[in-house]
Structure formats: structure tokens, C-alpha cells
Amino acid sequence: MKALNMIPLFVIVPLAAAFLNSLFGRYMRRFAEVMTVVSSGLMLGLSVYARILLESAPDKILVYKLGGWAPPFGICMVLDGFSGLMLVVVNLVAFFVAVYSVGYMEKYTDKPKFFILFSLMVCGMNGVAMTGDMFNLFVFLEVASVASYALVAFGTGEEELEASFKYAVMGSVASSFIFMGIALLYSFTSTLNMADMARVLSYRHSVWVVPFAGVLFLAGFSLKAALIPFHAWLPDAHSSAPASISAMLSGVLIKTLGIYSLTRILFNVIGAGQGYLKALMFFGVISIIIAGMLALRQSDFKRLLAYSSISQIGYIILGISLGTPLGVFGGLFHLFNHSVMKSLLFLNAGAMDYSTGTRDLKEAGGLDKLMPLTSKTNLIASMSISGIPPFSGFFSKLIIIAACVQSGHFGYALCAIIGSVFTLSALMKARKLAFLGEIKDRMRGVKDASFTMKISMVCLAVMCAAGGLMLLPPFRFFIETASGVLLKGTSYANIVMKAVLR
Amino acid sequence: MTGNYSREDMSLVVKTASRLTAGIILIFGLHIILHGHLAPGGGFAGGVIIALAFVNLLIAFGKETRLSRISENVASKLETVGAVMFLAVALLGFFGGTFFMNVMTKGEAFNLFSAGTIPLSNISIGLKVGVGLFAIFLALVILERSRK
Amino acid sequence: MTLYFLCFILFSIGLYGVLRKRNIVKIIMGIAIMSYSVNLFFVLLGYKFRGRAPIDAHDQGIVNMVDPIPQALVMTSIVIGLAVMALLIAISIRLYEKYGTLDITKIRRLKG
């Protein structure tokens, strides 16, 4: 099969899996789980294969025209370095979380519906990563968002419903902002295709329409990415959701819907001026510091991890908005690392919740002896996310700090280092309270997690430890192509339009 | 039979009117779906009108009598059939050329049987939206009251 | 131009509803008003001076039509708004059952 024809499969296969699940999920017992695991495994293999095939394509870009209609009249799907990176990240985390959910969702009722919504969310995220059309981006963004609103409320307990309501209201407000921005850009450029829009915007300058649309996008996508001061929904939603959904939300959803869309539109369509980049750098740095401090006083394990997520997203935004090659490389590398690390941490918290029935750190204790595998993977993930060599997190944070120093922002580099200290102390607090120490009385009969949960945690831990190998020359192309796409800026549109004609 | 609150039924006028007009509303919705490529409307608008025919009956007669002949399970299955039909129409294009391509003959303009696969898409979307909206309404209405 | 300003005013009315009202149903109505105002704004953007409806007919040619693309996009956006609204209402019904109140200041079990 040609590489070009594989592109729509990323949207078709999860969608078909969701619909077939919905038809047959109630009749055969294990149908939903097997179908979802098989489809996400297929997607993982396909995304790695497509990324490798991309290296041999001319200009390293593949454009698929939906329905045979050529842009700017039709919708196109673009597979380039950045999309390829996001696809691999999304499908990797989705596969391991699907395997984990086979064991974890035993505690909830109505498992087939969970896997239907899960497949729909993966389909939406794949669509966001692949599309080359502004309104198509909005549609897939909404598909993934609505599926995630429903998934956060899946347990229908009191806390889950309250968290889901807050998340849904804030997410809808952000989507309205984004839609208004798209409407304004369409009125100015009279086209919806991203590459065509970039071309029109490069020779037509506007006084207030495009900056207004840019600010609307900044507000809307920052809320989806949970930067401070738009973060208020994240701690509630990520702590009340089932653990596999917390891992998906924190690991890939806020990165695809927030960071990928924001940087794609800001760098490749509107053109990143210094105003936007300075604002994003500021948001990133205050996210690192404030969320790091807020994580220290939490006693709920998942809430602590949620605040730590906001802090790490601040790192990614700081790295990308520096605008220098080293900065963008560091930011994207940290995006890849953080997806793996944070998913592993949330899966650990889920294993603790599954076995002991509580998420409160003050009630747990001494789990190191009762759940050895969970404890060891937790150690690997904590060390990696705090930036301790030789795990992967160390390299990405080092590159970001070096890039800050290189462009002269010494204060920001100092804040990044302080944030790393906060992260280390918050995760060490969690580890000390939950895993080390004396075994409390009510924890006596606790067993370790079930088989599928253990497999996915081990695989993610291996990738966490080996993530530093991404910097070696055979693998460096993976992230270097992605950062190259962003750094070309609006002239990237010419490459896309040339590829369309092929 | 009245549940835990006493409420008057809808009056006889409402019941008779909704029973008589349900068929007309259904046919009108079908007309809008089928002529989606010639006149404004299409799958979604026609689907909403079809759903409203059933919702009318449900509101007039109350949820206990279940005059509408579609229960929740049937509604859920039909909705998925509509979705699968839509994906099948899109996949027809995928195997014939590109995804979503129009692979059937496009007849002369302004005929009913023209414009390739667009009427098929309209019909499947109409089925899905119609039954889906009714299923949403059923789910909101026939909610079991949990103990507090 | 005044039409666009009125759309923005409608948008800010919806935003005010989301931010300041305490009843859950009024917050949901605020979100609905916001999405309808953005849809209206988008459709109004396509207006051409003295254009007619973008429907092709036997005798009239394809001249002097208003822009049909915003109309197609707004159709999709209305469907998306419907789905979000249905989900929000379902969540709020369940919230009322669990908490016994529709006042958002009393539904504050998650803190910190």
C-alpha cells in the first residue's frame, strides 16, 4: 500500500472500531476490549511505519486530498515531520492505556461504552494531528473534546460529575473563542486551507483583524492546553477521572488539542511575531513556578500529578516559544518524554487506587513491599520527570535550559531550574508518603495490580529509561524534522502547495 | 400508574393532534432528506424533523404508555446502523480512489437521482440524527431516580 | 458593520451569563447564546451586496450569490453545539440528583 493511501486510515480505523463496538459490544463478552486493543495496536504500527516512510518522500511531506478535490477547494490531510511526531505520540500512549484499561476498568460498569468513547477520542486526536484545513481542525477538536467530557464523567460519582461539568463549560467557552477566531481569519483571507491562508497572509497585512484572531486563538488554545491562568479545570478533571483517562488527558489530549494546534497556527499560518512569543514565554514560566508550588501542598496523589502536568506543559511552551532551533527541539523532545512519563505516573496512581481503594497519600503507606512493580516503575518515572540523569527527562530539560541561556533569558532559565526542584520535591513527597514507610493496618491485604496493567506500566517505564537514546544520530531525525517544520514559519506553505500538485 | 407526583394528562386535543400529524411530519422529514442536493436541508435538518415526530408522541402521551414503537435498545442499534452506513459510503470512495470520493454516476443536474453518493450520505445521516436525537431524549426522560 | 458589533454584544451577553450566574441551567443557556452568536456572526460574514440565496436553479445562473461556504460550516457547528448541549444537560440532571441543588456555589466538593 502506498504511503499516501495510509493517511486517512488514521481516522477510519478508530472510527470503525468505535462503530463496530457499538453494534456488537453487548453481545460478545470480550469484544469491545479486543477490538480496541487491536485497533490501537494497528494504529501504533501504522504511525511508526508512516513516519519511517516519510523520510523517503520528496521534501519530507505527504499531502492527501480528500475526495480527490485539490486545495484550496478541498480538504487535505498533511503528513509532515510535526504531524508524524504527534501521531506516534498519540498512538503510543493510546495503545498502552488501552491495554491497561482492560484490567483497570473491571471496577466500573458498562465497559463497552468506555471503549467506544475511547476510540472516538483517539480518532479525534488523530484527525487534529493530520488535518491541513482550519475548519476540519475545529471539527476534530470538538469530537475529541466532547468524547473527553463524557469520559471524565464516566464513573458518575459526585466528584466526577462536578469536575466534568466545570471542564465541559470551560472547554465550550474556549471552543467558541477558537471558532470566532477561525471566522475572522476566513473573512480576511477568504480561504480555509492552512497553506493557502499562510500565503495570503504573507502579502496582505491587516491592522486589527489578524492580531485579534491571534489573541482569540491564544486564549482558546491556552485553555485547552491548561496554561496558567487558564488552568482551573485541569486539577479537578484529571483527579476525578478514571486513571486511564487521566493518563490520556494529561499525556496526549492537552498536547494535541492545545500545544500542537496553537504552535501549528501560530508558527505556520499567522506567523509568530515577537509579541506572541513573549506572551507565551511569560505564560510558560509562570506555569512552571506557580504550578510547581501548588503541587507541593496536595495530599491527593492524582491532584499532585495534575499540577505537575501544568508545570511540565509550561516547560514545553517555554521551549517552543523561544523560537531558536535548540529551543524548539528541546520543547518537542520534552513533549515526547512527558507524554510517556506522565502517563506512567497516572497509571501508577491508578494501580494504587485499584488495589487499595484510595487516592489519599496520607492514608497509604509502605506500598513498596506490597506492590513492588508499581513502586519500581514509579521510581523510574519520578526520577525521569524531575530531570535526573540518565533518564530521558534530564536531556530534554537540559536542552530547554541551555536554549534559554543561549538566547539571553537568564531569569527564565533560573525559573526553569527552580521549577525542576519543585517537581523533584513534590514527587519525592508522594513517593515517601505512598510507597515508603510503615504499612498501615488497613493496607494489609493489598495485592499488586493485574496482569495487563503490569505489562503496560513496564513497557512505558522501559521507554522512559531509554528515551535519552532519541538524541543519538540514528534517531535524531524524529524530532529534528518536526522542529524544522515549525522553524520554517509561513514559508512552509509553499512546500505544501508544491506537494499538492504532485 | 401516576408515579410519585400527580400530574394531569395532556388534553384530548393534544393527543389526537399529535397522533394524526405524526405521519405527516415523518413524510415531510423524509422529503427534506431526499431532496438534500436540490433544495436547502439535507441529512441533518431532515433528521431533526423525523426525531421531532417521535418526540411529539412521547410528550403528548407520557413515557409510561410508550405509544412510539421505538424503545431504547432499538433506537441505539438503529443509530449505529446509520453511522456504519455513513462510514461505508465514505469507504466506497476510499477503495475506488480517494477517501470520500464520489464514485457513483452523477446524472443530469436537478434530477432526484443525480449527484452520485450525496443522497446516500444524506439518508444515512438522516437516519442517524433522527434516531439519535430521539435516543438522547429517551435517555434524558426515562432516567431512573436513584436513592439519595 | 453595526451587525457585527451586535453579534459581539450577543457574545458578551452569553459570556456574562456563563461567568456570573449561579444557576446551572442559566450557565448552560449562556453557553448556548455564545455558540449561537458565533454561528450568526459567521453566516453574516458571507454577505455580498444584493446577493441572493446560494441555491442553483434551472433558470438562474450562478451570479450574484452570497457566500455558501459559511452556511455549510455553520450547519456543522450547529450540530456540534447540539451535541455539547445534550451532554451538558445530561450532566446537570445527574448533578441535581447527587447534590440536591442547582446552585453552582454549593457544588464545591473539590477544592485546593
Side-chain angles (χ1 to χ4, degrees):
Chain A
M1 172 174 291
K2 287 189 340 178
L4 203 60
N5 284 346
M6 276 198 295
I7 292 185
L9 280 181
F10 288 105
V11 170
I12 297 180
V13 170
L15 205 59
F19 291 154
L20 286 176
N21 254 345
S22 174
L23 264 184
F24 300 120
R26 233 165 303 178
Y27 298 131
M28 305 177 226
R29 264 187 10 115
R30 292 263 168 190
F31 184 78
E33 303 157 1
V34 168
M35 174 69 104
T36 310
V37 168
V38 163
S39 81
S40 48
L42 196 67
M43 285 297 101
L44 175 62
L46 210 61
S47 63
V48 173
Y49 183 50
R51 183 68 186 84
I52 296 181
L53 273 186
L54 189 67
E55 289 299 308
S56 49
D59 276 337
K60 296 205 198 329
I61 184 172
L62 286 171
V63 175
Y64 187 84
K65 309 183 255 292
L66 279 184
W69 303 100
F73 302 116
I75 300 180
C76 63
M77 298 181 108
V78 172
L79 180 69
D80 58 11
F82 198 16
S83 315
L85 172 71
M86 291 312 297
L87 275 180
V88 170
V89 166
V90 167
N91 290 314
L92 185 77
V93 175
F95 175 60
F96 284 123
V97 170
V99 169
Y100 181 89
S101 305
V102 172
Y104 181 75
M105 296 307 286
E106 294 292 332
K107 296 248 162 148
Y108 290 85
T109 58
D110 218 352
K111 270 171 80 163
K113 291 215 176 71
F114 174 80
F115 285 110
I116 298 173
L117 286 169
F118 185 81
S119 297
L120 280 176
M121 194 165 76
V122 170
C123 165
M125 282 194 281
N126 278 343
V128 167
M130 296 280 288
T131 183
D133 181 273
M134 289 288 266
F135 192 72
N136 211 12
L137 179 86
F138 176 69
V139 170
F140 279 121
L141 187 111
E142 283 296 293
V143 168
S145 296
V146 173
S148 66
Y149 303 155
L151 278 172
V152 168
F154 195 73
T156 60
E158 290 152 339
E159 293 182 351
E160 281 118 339
L161 287 173
E162 175 193 343
S164 174
F165 185 73
K166 279 193 220 175
Y167 176 29
V169 165
M170 289 191 169
S172 309
V173 171
S175 297
S176 302
F177 280 171
I178 295 172
F179 191 36
M180 185 164 265
I182 294 179
L184 282 170
L185 272 185
Y186 174 73
S187 82
F188 189 70
T189 56
S190 73
T191 174
L192 281 172
N193 196 15
M194 282 189 195
D196 207 15
M197 213 182 254
R199 253 193 6 205
V200 172
L201 282 175
S202 63
Y203 62 76
R204 258 188 96 179
H205 293 285
S206 86
V207 178
W208 67 275
V209 177
V210 175
F212 187 39
V215 170
L216 281 174
F217 282 136
L218 203 63
F221 286 122
S222 296
L223 199 144
K224 297 273 182 194
L227 294 171
I228 297 201
F230 305 101
H231 70 289
W233 57 272
L234 193 137
D236 297 334
H238 286 208
S239 60
S240 325
S244 28
I245 294 304
S246 296
M248 282 296 281
L249 248 64
S250 190
V252 281
L253 196 87
I254 49 183
K255 297 188 182 63
T256 315
L257 300 191
I259 299 181
Y260 171 81
S261 318
L262 182 63
T263 50
R264 178 67 90 176
I265 292 184
L266 218 52
F267 278 82
N268 283 125
V269 177
I270 298 187
Q274 277 307 307
Y276 295 120
L277 292 182
K278 278 201 187 7
L280 274 179
M281 267 198 287
F282 181 65
F283 283 154
V285 168
I286 58 174
S287 298
I288 296 176
I289 298 289
I290 296 184
M293 288 197 298
L294 282 174
L296 279 172
R297 51 183 293 262
Q298 303 300 322
S299 60
D300 183 350
F301 194 13
K302 281 165 76 171
R303 221 172 156 87
L304 191 146
L305 291 176
Y307 275 111
S308 155
S309 264
I310 305 179
S311 184
Q312 302 302 310
I313 295 287
Y315 271 103
I316 301 177
I317 289 284
L318 175 67
I320 295 184
S321 57
L322 279 171
T324 61
L326 199 61
V328 175
F329 185 88
L332 290 178
F333 191 28
H334 199 62
L335 191 147
F336 176 74
N337 282 335
H338 179 245
S339 309
V340 173
M341 297 185 295
K342 195 39 77 70
S343 314
L344 180 56
L345 279 172
F346 269 111
L347 294 185
N348 279 333
M352 176 176 134
D353 189 16
Y354 180 80
S355 303
T356 65
T358 175
R359 291 189 324 243
D360 198 348
L361 284 172
K362 298 202 275 281
E363 290 183 9
L367 289 175
D368 195 20
K369 307 175 195 57
L370 297 169
M371 308 170 69
L373 194 82
T374 310
S375 172
K376 286 192 190 49
T377 48
N378 190 32
L379 182 66
I380 294 181
S382 302
M383 286 207 292
S384 180
I385 205 174
S386 321
I388 297 183
F391 295 109
S392 49
F394 166 69
F395 294 109
S396 54
K397 285 196 179 179
L398 184 66
I399 296 181
I400 293 181
I401 296 178
C404 279
V405 170
Q406 187 189 50
S407 15
H409 299 279
F410 294 107
Y412 289 164
L414 189 64
C415 290
I417 299 179
I418 295 180
S420 195
V421 172
F422 282 148
T423 313
L424 177 65
S425 45
L427 282 167
M428 283 303 125
K429 163 186 169 174
R431 186 164 174 77
K432 165 179 173 294
L433 283 178
F435 290 102
L436 305 172
E438 296 292 316
I439 303 182
K440 300 220 171 49
D441 286 330
R442 55 169 283 197
M443 301 282 154
R444 292 269 164 202
V446 161
K447 292 188 317 238
D448 208 345
S450 69
F451 179 61
T452 52
M453 293 160 76
K454 278 195 251 200
I455 284 194
S456 51
M457 285 199 280
V458 164
C459 290
L460 280 176
V462 163
M463 278 191 3
C464 220
L469 292 175
M470 280 284 177
L471 282 180
L472 293 181
F475 301 111
R476 202 186 300 173
F477 73 91
F478 188 50
I479 303 189
E480 207 156 356
T481 330
S483 62
V485 162
L486 277 182
L487 286 169
K488 281 210 194 68
T490 43
S491 62
Y492 187 65
N494 299 330
I495 304 183
V496 177
M497 297 308 272
K498 239 187 351 180
V500 165
L501 296 170
R502 237 175 269 131
Chain B
M1 205 40 164
T2 49
N4 44 2
Y5 41 78
S6 66
R7 185 166 291 185
E8 302 248 338
D9 274 346
M10 292 280 188
S11 66
L12 188 61
V13 177
V14 173
K15 287 189 190 170
T16 321
S18 53
R19 210 173 47 205
L20 288 178
T21 54
I24 302 179
I25 299 179
L26 260 180
I27 294 187
F28 183 59
L30 261 172
H31 168 91
I32 290 198
I33 293 179
L34 284 176
H35 289 256
H37 54 286
L38 300 171
F44 176 64
V48 170
I49 296 180
I50 287 185
L52 289 182
F54 293 113
V55 168
N56 243 355
L57 287 175
L58 189 68
I59 292 183
F61 286 94
K63 64 186 182 188
E64 281 92 5
T65 48
R66 305 279 187 101
L67 186 61
S68 57
R69 289 190 208 101
I70 301 187
S71 69
E72 298 124 42
N73 292 332
V74 175
S76 177
K77 291 290 175 281
L78 263 184
E79 173 185 8
T80 320
V81 167
V84 170
M85 261 172 53
F86 183 68
L87 197 59
V89 166
L91 279 179
L92 264 184
F94 181 63
F95 290 122
T98 19
F99 189 42
F100 262 118
M101 189 163 97
N102 215 342
V103 286
M104 290 174 38
T105 61
K106 311 180 183 62
E108 331 159 353
F110 309 116
N111 267 357
L112 190 52
F113 292 107
S114 59
T117 55
I118 295 185
L120 290 179
S121 301
N122 272 339
I123 293 176
S124 39
I125 296 263
L127 177 69
K128 180 178 195 358
V129 170
V131 181
L133 263 180
F134 182 61
I136 291 179
F137 192 76
L138 270 182
L140 287 178
V141 161
I142 314 216
L143 204 55
E144 298 293 329
R145 303 238 165 237
S146 60
R147 305 134 313 269
K148 263 265 332 187
Chain C
M1 203 57 184
T2 54
L3 276 176
Y4 302 147
F5 270 125
L6 288 176
C7 280
F8 278 122
I9 293 180
L10 200 60
F11 185 81
S12 46
I13 291 178
L15 194 58
Y16 171 81
V18 171
L19 291 175
R20 288 278 293 175
K21 292 291 177 183
R22 288 166 52 166
N23 197 347
I24 286 187
V25 181
K26 293 188 186 168
I27 294 179
I28 296 179
M29 281 199 239
I31 294 183
I33 294 179
M34 272 172 72
S35 68
Y36 297 158
S37 82
V38 177
N39 291 339
L40 186 65
F41 177 65
F42 206 176
V43 171
L44 284 177
L45 279 178
Y47 180 66
K48 292 207 166 69
F49 190 58
R50 286 181 198 270
R52 63 179 185 88
I55 305 173
D56 205 7
H58 263 296
D59 39 359
Q60 293 166 315
I62 315 185
V63 289
N64 219 9
M65 280 186 186
V66 296
D67 198 356
I69 286 189
Q71 308 197 351
L73 303 180
V74 161
M75 193 71 138
T76 312
S77 172
I78 293 179
V79 178
I80 294 175
L82 168 76
V84 174
M85 214 51 62
L87 187 67
L88 277 172
I89 292 182
I91 293 179
S92 64
I93 290 182
R94 294 264 188 166
L95 265 181
Y96 180 68
E97 284 181 4
K98 301 272 179 186
Y99 283 87
T101 171
L102 278 179
D103 194 349
I104 196 98
T105 55
K106 297 200 175 37
I107 305 183
R108 293 204 58 203
R109 206 162 293 204
L110 292 167
K111 290 200 221 321

